[in-house]
Amino acid sequence: MTGRQSRILLAKLLNHGNSNTTRAPPWQHCIRQVSTKRICVSNMFLPSYKCPPAKDVTKCKSLQLMLNAGLIQSAGPGTFHFLPLALRSLEKLIKLIDSTMGEIGAQKIAMPCLTKAELWKTSGRWDTMGAELFRLSDRHGGEYCLGPTHEEAITSLIGAEKSLSYKHLPLRLYQTTTKFRDEMTPKFGLLRGREFYMKDMYTFDSTEAQAMETYNAVCVAYETLFRRLGVACLKAVGDTGSIGGSVSHEYHFIAETGEDKVFHCSKCGLSKNKEVIDGDKPPCPEGLSATDCPIEHHHAIEVGHTFNLGTKYSQVFDASYVDPSGKHRTLEMGCYGLGVSRILAACIEVLSKGSEVRWPRLIAPYQVCIVPPKAGSKEEQGIQIAESLYDDISQLPGFRGEVVIDDRYDKTIGHRRKDANIIGYPYVIVVGKKALQQEHLFELHSTNIGNSNFVNMGELVQKLTTESAEL
């Protein structure tokens, strides 16, 4: 739909106001581009599986909610099937990450999950990674691993390009692929699994100073991403671990389920993972007293990590660039991870309440769920109104393909509204008896803020379009 068509549609939907005439509201007669097939709940694959009260499940809110809502199902220890709604949400998150990475000039690539052992032996990590590295052999005896990360692979790729010019720098390459880690005790669903989605970016710069410029740019991009998601994120100094490097920061969602412990002070700005602290508590960096520097500790879920690698890998794999004088210089590297499937689960862990999933609006599987009357009820004629409402909302900017209708007409409105709340659609619109009045009134539930109001069509369109534009 063109911008002009969108404006015409909005005007028609909004201008019907509070008309008391007996003719049908103008929104019923507006120009529609009606989908030949509406997105119906009756067609969705939503398994009715309810998770057992296992210790792992009861301690982890997101796992219990995602299982009960039919978002995921276990495929084995630490592995999960992503079912339609969860996969749709995951794809939205990946799209948001792609947009954020694009804003800092990053280019997307895809590398094989299967990596030659030779590369890992060259870097020395084949031996140091330990049992967490999935290792395997092909029929010819060749050794491989399923990559938990791709520093060796990307540096080998760049090292093979001997004519890389300083003019091509900074070079920022990233991928979002499945990663593998042989966790001894996988737990908490998507928060700690053996197979997971990760965004890993690798950057190449000509000098240490430019590498830090890149580092800071990525940190800002990460902060922008979490701000867009609307989830509070804590940036903390982290351990470089097996990846290495000289500078490292982690990004955390505060949650009791979190396995990390982060110390933070809002006054002096201290923020560190316990792993990098000597003793039980870090001292105030400004020398303030405990009263003036109220350092707190939080359990947290790590959702991102940044590393300034220096030349640790580029020296080993002879990754260099040609400077203006024609000499080859070793590249300065950085690597930057986001646990994509972990972010998905962590958002649910932090935002959800009770037995109902809550999503960041940007990555909710669908934005709107319409609940029509039950077939055979006194309000049955409202079914046609609900279907027309679906078609009209689907034409609003930002809502095409974002509306579902619960067409299980054998079930009560209350039953279907409860199901919609469990899945966590940001907006649930109930078409009840007030929709049959001369001025159609719809019961609008704004799930994320927990309120509901009866609104006419103009008010409904105004609210949806205004809040969508704010995202």
Side-chain angles (χ1 to χ4, degrees), residues 17 23 38 51 59 62 108 117 141 167 185 199 209 229 236 239 254 278 288 291 303 306 324 339 371 396 402 427:
R23 62 188 177 88
R38 299 183 181 95
C51 63
K59 288 182 64 176
S62 59
K108 194 171 188 178
K167 296 178 182 179
T185 54
K199 187 283 301 178
L229 286 173
D239 186 15
I254 297 174
D278 293 326
L288 301 176
T291 303
V303 291
T306 57
V371 181
L396 297 176
E402 290 293 332
Y427 300 106

Side-chain angles (χ1 to χ4, degrees), residues 373-433:
K374 181 181 180 181
S377 67
K378 295 179 181 179
E379 298 84 24
E380 182 177 24
Q381 59 183 300
I383 292 175
Q384 185 174 356
I385 295 174
E387 291 173 347
S388 296
L389 179 65
Y390 176 104
D391 297 334
D392 291 327
I393 293 177
S394 295
Q395 294 180 75
L396 297 176
F399 287 90
R400 180 172 295 279
E402 290 293 332
V403 185
V404 300
I405 186 167
D406 195 335
D407 61 332
R408 298 175 297 165
Y409 299 122
D410 60 320
K411 299 186 183 299
T412 64
I413 283 179
H415 182 108
R416 286 175 287 157
R417 177 184 164 185
K418 181 179 179 181
D419 285 351
N421 288 340
I422 287 173
I423 291 173
Y425 304 104
Y427 300 106
V428 179
I429 304 172
V430 175
V431 181
K433 61 182 180 181

Side-chain angles (χ1 to χ4, degrees), residues 8 22-23 30 236 242 325 336 364 458:
I8 292 173
T22 58
R23 62 188 177 88
C30 68
S242 63
S325 67
Y336 308 86

Side-chain angles (χ1 to χ4, degrees), residues 57 59-72 82-83 85-90 93 188-191 229-232 253-257 301 303 339-361 363-365 421-425 448:
V57 172
K59 288 182 64 176
C60 181
K61 184 197 312 181
S62 59
L63 176 57
Q64 183 173 14
L65 292 176
M66 295 183 82
L67 288 170
N68 285 342
L71 301 176
I72 60 174
F82 278 78
L83 302 181
L85 292 180
L87 183 59
R88 183 175 167 87
S89 182
L90 184 75
L93 177 56
F188 299 155
L190 301 184
L191 296 181
L229 286 173
V231 182
F253 292 172
I254 297 174
E256 283 302 312
T257 310
I301 302 169
V303 291
V340 181
S341 48
R342 182 181 286 187
I343 290 173
L344 190 72
C347 286
I348 293 174
E349 187 75 27
V350 171
L351 299 177
S352 300
K353 297 180 179 179
S355 62
E356 299 175 354
V357 172
R358 291 294 177 267
W359 305 89
R361 267 200 57 199
I363 62 170
N421 288 340
I422 287 173
I423 291 173
Y425 304 104
N448 285 359

Side-chain angles (χ1 to χ4, degrees), residues 237-258:
V237 175
D239 186 15
T240 57
S242 63
I243 291 177
S246 58
V247 180
S248 173
H249 287 89
E250 301 167 349
Y251 294 80
H252 294 270
F253 292 172
I254 297 174
E256 283 302 312
T257 310

Side-chain angles (χ1 to χ4, degrees), residues 1-58:
M1 181 183 295
T2 65
R4 181 173 179 274
Q5 287 174 318
S6 295
R7 290 191 294 274
I8 292 173
L9 174 61
L10 284 173
K12 288 186 176 185
L13 293 177
L14 289 169
N15 286 341
H16 91 279
N18 294 317
S19 174
N20 292 319
T21 61
T22 58
R23 62 188 177 88
W27 65 268
Q28 291 186 350
H29 303 291
C30 68
I31 299 173
R32 296 193 183 115
Q33 295 180 351
V34 179
S35 170
T36 57
K37 188 172 180 63
R38 299 183 181 95
I39 303 172
C40 299
V41 171
S42 64
N43 294 328
M44 290 182 176
F45 179 55
L46 289 170
S48 57
Y49 171 82
K50 300 299 179 185
C51 63
K55 182 178 180 182
D56 183 38
V57 172
T58 55

